[in-house]
Amino acid sequence: MTGHQEGTFEALRVQLQEAAAAFADGPAALEGILLGLVDDVDRAAREPLEIFPVCHHSPASALAMARRLREKQPKVVYLELCEDMTPLLTELRKCRLPVAVQAFASRLDGFPEEWAPLSVVAPITEASAEYQAIAYALDTPGVELVLVDRSSDHVFQWDTRRGRTETAGTDTPSAEEEAALHGDAVGVEIGDLRPRFAELEEHLLRHGRVRHWSEWWHQYVELPLGDSDHDTYRQAMFLIGSLFRRLAPGDAERVRVDEDRERYMWTRMREHLAATGTDPEDCLYVCGAFHAASRVAEFGVDGGDTFEISPRTGTTWQYGLIPSSHAAIEAQFGLAAGSVSIAATVWAKNLKRTRVQPFRLAGQAGAKKARPRKASAVTGASNAEPADMLTGFLRRPPVLDRLDEAELLGWSVDIVRAARRNGYLASTADAIAVFETSILLAGMRDRAKPTPCDFQDAAVTCIEKDTVPGRRDVRRLVEIMMGGDRIGQVGYEALPPLARDVHDRLAPLGLKLEARGVKRALLDIAGRPELERCSDVLWMLRYLMPHGAARPIMGERTLGERPIQESWDLALGTHQRALIELGYEGVSIEQVLEQRLRRAAYGPQATAATVLQAVEDATLHLRSRRLADELGTRALEVLAAERSVDGAPEVLRRVRRLLAYYRTSEPVLPAWIESFVKTGYAHYCTLLPTAFADEDAGVRQVAAMLGFLFSMESLALSLGCDRTQLELAVAQSHPEDPSKTALLWASQTQLGTMTRSELRERCDGLLDNPLALPTYPRYLSGLLHALEPAPALTDFVVEAVSNAFGRLPDPVLLPWLPTLITTLRAGGADLAPLLIREAGRIFPSRLGELDSWVPPWRETQPVPTRTTSDQGAGKRAILLDAHPAACDAVAALLGCEGPWEPAATGPSGLALMARHPTTAEAVEALLTRL
């Protein structure tokens, strides 16, 4: 420190040096910290460019800012905010606060792709010093507002942890629906003031007898600084920022980023001063108190060192305003639940008490008509010797607020009324108990006036008891009563072109879609054909936006059908942020939807099923034959490269649906789907033997493969495929799993290589074998899945299931029933109706007929018997005489030689054949095989 700097706070230095010697073993360590605090305050107070330290969303900072702006009337306001967000600030007058300024990037160049999308937000409330500075600069002629903090691109360049905001667990509010308005965006911490030394924060909370850091700040900083003068406010905030800075041994990476931000801001301010020639005395630098007490070499307009600012990456950033809320701010910045709402209430009280006229943007929702402002002289020159106001402030005893009984009584009555509306059995006695308990808790915590936190604790103790009858507990009711979770709204003019286009296209519905809440839309498309365009927009919004933004109540959209009537629940105002972020991806929802479909089809995780889904969505929502053909060709490429059969069921379902659509709506099939069927037929024939033997391939996947092969067989054969491929694939399949074995039997039956009688014999053989009974339900499971490729076996499956119920013992039957139900539920849309329809045809329709009913498969059938009559023998002899070459060939095969006997002597061999028919039957079987 120089000699002239030591005189201002010399008395404070002496007192702190004596305190360090008294409380520490040696004056070195503690003295260095305490005197360092004074040096930081002195350095910041003497800076020619006036530094105004603030705390984010602090009513005291906002009040002091409004006062100072009216007194000093600076010509240039430097603000700690991302410099690339400057064009957005003029749009704030078209919004209802709180809102957040957002920078968004989905296409990255210079960052890892897994980081996408990147998002940076800076929430702004009316009870903040930042908003006062913005409103003053934008509505005062001749005043320039300059944002000097690092750009959104540098936020991610410098943060190796991807810029994730770290929040303390003590102040993190419970997860609420509105707390997600910022999503996973990185928050720009303007005026962040919180100890980074955990032991220090714990010490302050314990000795302050509070639970949350927000409560400590309100009690011991907000209230004392609320009525202080400008110099006292600045020096106290400098001291707090220096204290937290010097007692912050935490993350070295975070400290490095903070110091680089300070170097960045001072570099930008010196560049602006040099370029414009502005006098530093006519400027005001608004920043967080943590950065105001900076010790970097670049500090001040006379800083000697130069900081090299790295260039931005090639990432394209989009900018806009998104709605914010008190709960979202609390969740993102680690504040106690309800603290921002309480700050808004304190701000309103401070304005009423002090009669300070705040700055509000002209034309903003809720803003009063601006009064003409009178010019006032600057209160003091920046080169004047700063007075020591800090010593008196630190020695001043705490001011105890007088108990406002009327206010506390009103709170008590209001919370009881709110509790009764939410199902609590609260009464006047509970209001009295809350009133007295609040005073008692405040006294126990050395406070004359109960704070909102004291009142909240008292209300929970006296009203909530042991259960919560409604959706909200008492703690949440107190937060709502103290100001509620105010939610901002972005005006129509400030919306991106896509969002405005959506509102314009939905205007025929006649609903206030910009308002929050759920709106019911009824679309009589048959009576009003122009509403079909609204229906198209709503279905695209349902695809693109989160669940609940556009939810259909009645009506559906399927291929080949036109809507008649629809009913929707719309909450576009509630999901305004999601709609705004769609505008960052394109200028229309059709463009965004096409980009999403292409991204899904060409992504690294794309499968044939997902690409076919994209084809269907393109046809369904965009009605684009061009895009559908392009994505269909991509599906063909993905299918040919797949070596897994996991997606076979989905592929089969979607191909069938697309084929049915094209056959009814197009004169000829598209070339891509013909190629897909042809390629898929050969592809699944190749994978079929492996899938039958692979344990990882389930029976459902194999059944879907067979379903594709059998159902697409006629089309595939007409396109040049060979049925021998399928026959060889089935012949080469040798499964070991019982369910797949039954599936193979069904396939062979469908191909004709196995008869139904043989299939029935195999199933009966399993039932007759005691060792095979435990596995029989698994065979039935395979037969149930076989209905996918072979629906003609439905009657046989009904027969097999009926036999199982009739012949399986209970220890085997009962454990199998859940598996049966699960199988039918998984394929219930297709399998269950087939079985029910066939069972209804076979079984008797009346209960009385059941006793005498005989299943068709148990009816006796006449068995043809061989005749050994002479007449039959004579016919066979005539056949032998007519074709002796065949008999000679058989005789030569058996090694028999001899001439034919004359026919007159009679066929002596026929008598032998009549006595031993088994030999003839064996010969017949041999000839049949040959």
Side-chain angles (χ1 to χ4, degrees), residues 370-388:
R371 299 177 182 177
R373 300 169 183 168
K374 297 181 180 180
S376 58
V378 178
T379 56
S382 60
N383 58 359
E385 185 76 13
D388 181 8

Side-chain angles (χ1 to χ4, degrees), residues 652 655-656 659 663 674 676-678 680-682 684-685 704-728 730 747-752 788-791:
L652 173 62
V655 167
R656 281 178 173 173
L659 269 176
R663 281 170 172 167
E674 292 183 348
F676 189 91
V677 171
K678 184 178 179 180
Y681 189 87
Y684 284 137
C685 282
M705 295 172 61
L706 291 169
F708 184 96
L709 294 171
F710 286 124
S711 61
M712 308 291 170
E713 185 177 17
S714 59
L715 179 58
L717 296 180
S718 66
L719 296 174
C721 294
D722 190 356
R723 194 169 193 264
T724 309
Q725 290 180 287
L726 178 57
E727 295 175 349
L728 291 176
V730 173
S747 303
Q748 293 172 343
T749 305
Q750 183 74 6
L751 285 173
E788 184 74 57

Side-chain angles (χ1 to χ4, degrees), residues 851-871:
D851 294 335
S852 59
W853 175 73
V854 177
W857 54 86
R858 291 187 182 178
E859 295 178 355
T860 58
Q861 308 235 348
V863 180
T865 60
R866 295 185 180 271
T867 175
T868 58
S869 62
D870 293 341
Q871 182 180 3

